[in-house]
Amino acid sequence: MNKPTNFHAAASELEFETRAFVNGKYVDAASGKTFDSINPATGKVITSLAACGEEDVNRAVSAARNAFDAGSWAHMAPADRKDVLLKWAEIMQRNAEELALLEVLESGKPIGDAREEDIPGTIATLRWHAEATDKIYDQVTPAPHDVVSLYVREPIGVVGAVIPWNFPLFVAMWKLGPALAGGNSVVMKPDEHTSLSMIRIAEMAAEAGLPEGVLNVVPGLGHEAGKAIGLHNDIDCVSFTGSGEVGRCFLEYAAKSNMKRIVLECGGKSPAIFMDDADISRAVENIATGILFCQGENCSAGSRLIVHESRKDELLDALQPEFAGWTVGDPLNEDTKIGALISERHLRKVTGLIEKGKSEGANVVLGGNQIYRDSGGFFVEATIFDCVRNDMTIAQEEIFGPVLSVITFRDEEEAVKIANETNYGLAASLYTENLGAAHRVAKAIRAGTVSVNCYGEGDFGVPFGGYKESGFGGKDNGLAAHDQYTEQKAIWIQL
């Protein structure tokens, strides 16, 4: 991407499309209602968007079902579907700067994160799944000589996707890539805090040749548009990333409607285990990235640092200057590494949990304060708590902010026990120079992703999902992500 000389100037020149995208065109909400999108860095209204409700979801699902039944996409040759998706990626690449700015304005994340990580990752994910479109084979199963036995994939039909605000396009593409590659139609509800970029790329998909009705975007509030998607009898699958509270709602919606397939990714309280033999020089930057990237608003954030008691002081001494180097500030400044939290409500949650940590006896050794109040934005310092017990609120609840809790252990068995004493199981990291310990602990941790001597989730080719209350029903990323958007059918032919 070419860097503009002034991101503030570039952002001020943006034009916003604020309507829903249904059946290949932009439309107002049936009710005519709108809701405001707020800039987390200033607290000011960016624009007002169509507030879609049940009637709008009904229209979108009808368009998606008609497109699916007509076969304009579902029956298209896989190689041709691949070409359309690759063209869509090319158009997004040409408009990457605009998409990055839209995400920064609505999410509060730093421009560097959006330009260098999120938007390139979104485009790369789309390309990866596009290339898989004509490379996933059906099977001929073993059968008697007078029988042909086939086991084939078919698109599941109409997919509802409800996505979070922390990675508006990246997580959306985790779902859109495999769902569309498989021939499905999609009704997408972006989070109400971050809808602009998703609305914009829907138009790009149409420009690339995606048939009318195959991709529909309905911005709106969760208890209206999201609930309508969950309860709709003509949606075959819902893929949701977000809170456990809302994930439970989608399970209820499925039970109350057509028992649609539900795929959930619902957060985490991920441990980072630092063994007594670990190399501090390899660990410090990764530990900081694990909790501070995206303001800590990351489901797999390494929010619990579980450190051997003999190394705690040494590690804390190294972490504090590293954390201090993560500049908090205006998301449109290139030197900012921690932007604004998503909303005033979320700011109150994060600061409230910081105060809860103090009241329960944990010790703040760095940060712990709301800052830049005069900006009108929602900023919190990078924060480290010491003297944390694993039963404290800050060690059990998902804070979703730049807050690290430090917990000590005496031996490997206790480290694993502490790591697993959580309702979540999305991700974990481990720092050790002992190969045997690396294998033992990685196997013992109950989490969907375990990284050793790094903080990472793999890439778009590696399945991503968790254990326990972190979710179930399928995986994002990798070829495994295609499974939840297809039905598998056995065909038995007597010759």
Side-chain angles (χ1 to χ4, degrees):
M1 302 181 207
N2 295 322
K3 292 185 179 181
T5 56
N6 188 318
F7 288 114
H8 292 86
S12 69
E13 295 173 359
L14 290 174
E15 296 181 1
F16 305 121
E17 177 55 69
T18 62
R19 295 172 292 175
F21 190 81
V22 177
N23 204 28
K25 59 182 180 294
Y26 285 115
V27 295
D28 293 321
S31 66
K33 294 181 179 178
T34 61
F35 65 94
D36 290 338
S37 175
I38 306 297
N39 185 336
T42 64
K44 296 180 180 178
V45 175
I46 301 169
T47 187
S48 297
L49 297 94
C52 293
E54 183 177 359
E55 184 176 350
D56 303 288
V57 170
N58 288 340
R59 291 190 298 177
V61 174
S62 178
R65 177 60 63 187
N66 290 338
F68 183 76
D69 289 345
S72 58
W73 182 250
H75 298 165
M76 186 183 291
D80 293 337
R81 287 204 302 269
K82 177 183 73 174
D83 289 343
V84 172
L85 295 178
L86 289 174
K87 185 176 179 181
W88 187 20
E90 291 174 7
I91 296 170
M92 289 176 64
Q93 184 70 63
R94 292 200 299 269
N95 294 276
E97 200 77 70
E98 174 193 359
L99 297 175
L101 287 168
L102 289 174
E103 293 222 335
V104 170
L105 288 179
E106 285 201 301
S107 72
K109 67 177 54 187
I111 185 66
D113 289 358
R115 295 177 76 248
E116 296 167 18
E117 301 288 341
D118 291 12
I119 302 306
T122 299
I123 295 167
T125 297
L126 175 56
R127 286 176 172 150
W128 194 91
H129 288 292
E131 290 290 353
T133 304
D134 58 357
K135 300 174 181 67
I136 299 177
Y137 288 80
D138 296 327
Q139 300 176 45
V140 178
T141 65
H145 76 283
D146 59 344
V147 168
V148 174
S149 176
L150 307 176
Y151 194 63
V152 301
R153 292 173 180 260
E154 295 180 350
I156 195 169
V158 176
V159 173
V162 181
I163 58 173
W165 43 258
N166 54 344
F167 298 100
L169 286 186
F170 205 178
V171 171
M173 199 56 69
W174 285 6
K175 304 174 190 309
L176 286 173
L180 292 174
N184 297 285
S185 297
V186 178
V187 176
M188 171 75 70
K189 193 201 90 67
D191 188 273
E192 52 263 35
H193 295 93
T194 52
S195 299
L196 289 173
S197 58
M198 187 64 233
I199 292 172
R200 179 71 177 94
I201 69 165
E203 182 180 32
M204 297 178 190
E207 182 183 345
L210 199 69
E212 293 179 357
V214 174
L215 174 60
N216 306 272
V217 180
V218 284
L221 305 181
H223 67 278
E224 295 174 350
K227 182 177 181 179
I229 287 173
L231 288 170
H232 206 291
N233 282 311
D234 209 19
I235 289 179
D236 302 291
C237 169
V238 169
S239 182
F240 169 76
T241 296
S243 71
E245 178 185 4
V246 177
R248 285 177 169 83
C249 290
F250 277 104
L251 294 176
E252 292 180 8
Y253 299 152
K256 290 177 179 178
S257 56
N258 60 340
M259 295 180 67
K260 59 179 64 66
R261 185 179 299 173
I262 301 293
V263 181
L264 299 178
E265 195 272 276
C266 293
K269 194 67 183 174
S270 300
I273 300 176
F274 188 89
M275 303 295 281
D276 59 353
D277 68 329
D279 183 347
I280 282 186
S281 65
R282 297 177 66 181
V284 166
E285 183 179 351
N286 282 284
I287 291 169
T289 300
I291 186 59
L292 301 181
F293 174 67
C294 197
Q295 299 73 248
E297 297 169 325
N298 184 6
C299 296
S300 57
S303 55
R304 292 183 298 148
L305 176 57
I306 303 171
V307 56
H308 192 276
E309 60 185 8
S310 69
R311 304 291 302 282
K312 186 193 77 168
D313 292 343
E314 179 188 4
L315 183 57
L316 276 176
D317 286 345
L319 280 174
Q320 290 181 63
E322 178 69 26
F323 271 53
W326 281 67
T327 307
V328 183
D330 184 344
L332 288 171
N333 289 341
E334 287 188 86
D335 60 352
T336 293
K337 296 188 71 175
I338 299 177
L341 299 181
I342 188 66
S343 67
E344 184 174 11
R345 178 183 178 185
H346 187 57
L347 170 69
R348 298 292 161 240
K349 174 192 172 184
V350 172
T351 55
L353 284 168
I354 289 173
E355 292 306 312
K356 184 74 168 177
K358 295 176 184 177
S359 69
E360 291 184 352
N363 179 34
V364 175
V365 297
L366 183 74
N369 302 302
Q370 180 185 353
I371 55 176
Y372 303 137
R373 293 173 184 264
D374 292 344
S375 70
F378 316 126
F379 298 92
V380 171
E381 293 176 303
T383 300
I384 300 176
F385 273 103
D386 189 14
C387 304
V388 178
R389 299 188 316 273
N390 201 47
D391 62 352
M392 289 181 176
T393 303
I394 57 172
Q396 291 297 314
E397 287 195 22
E398 187 177 33
I399 299 174
F400 230 55
V403 182
L404 180 69
S405 297
V406 179
I407 305 167
T408 59
F409 69 91
R410 293 182 297 275
D411 55 36
E412 183 180 306
E413 182 180 0
E414 185 182 21
V416 171
K417 181 174 182 291
I418 293 170
N420 287 335
E421 284 182 341
T422 171
N423 293 333
Y424 297 105
L426 187 58
S429 54
L430 166 66
Y431 299 91
T432 181
E433 296 300 297
N434 185 310
L435 183 61
H439 281 283
R440 287 192 305 271
V441 175
K443 288 181 179 180
I445 293 174
R446 300 283 293 166
T449 298
V450 179
S451 55
V452 179
N453 290 328
C454 65
Y455 169 76
E457 300 169 353
D459 59 21
F460 33 78
V462 179
F464 179 78
Y467 290 20
K468 299 186 280 188
E469 292 182 22
S470 286
F472 64 91
K475 299 287 187 181
D476 288 316
N477 293 332
L479 292 178
H482 292 249
D483 293 343
Q484 61 238 25
Y485 305 118
T486 59
E487 296 282 16
Q488 285 79 49
K489 176 185 289 185
I491 301 176
W492 185 269
I493 302 173
Q494 184 74 51
L495 301 179

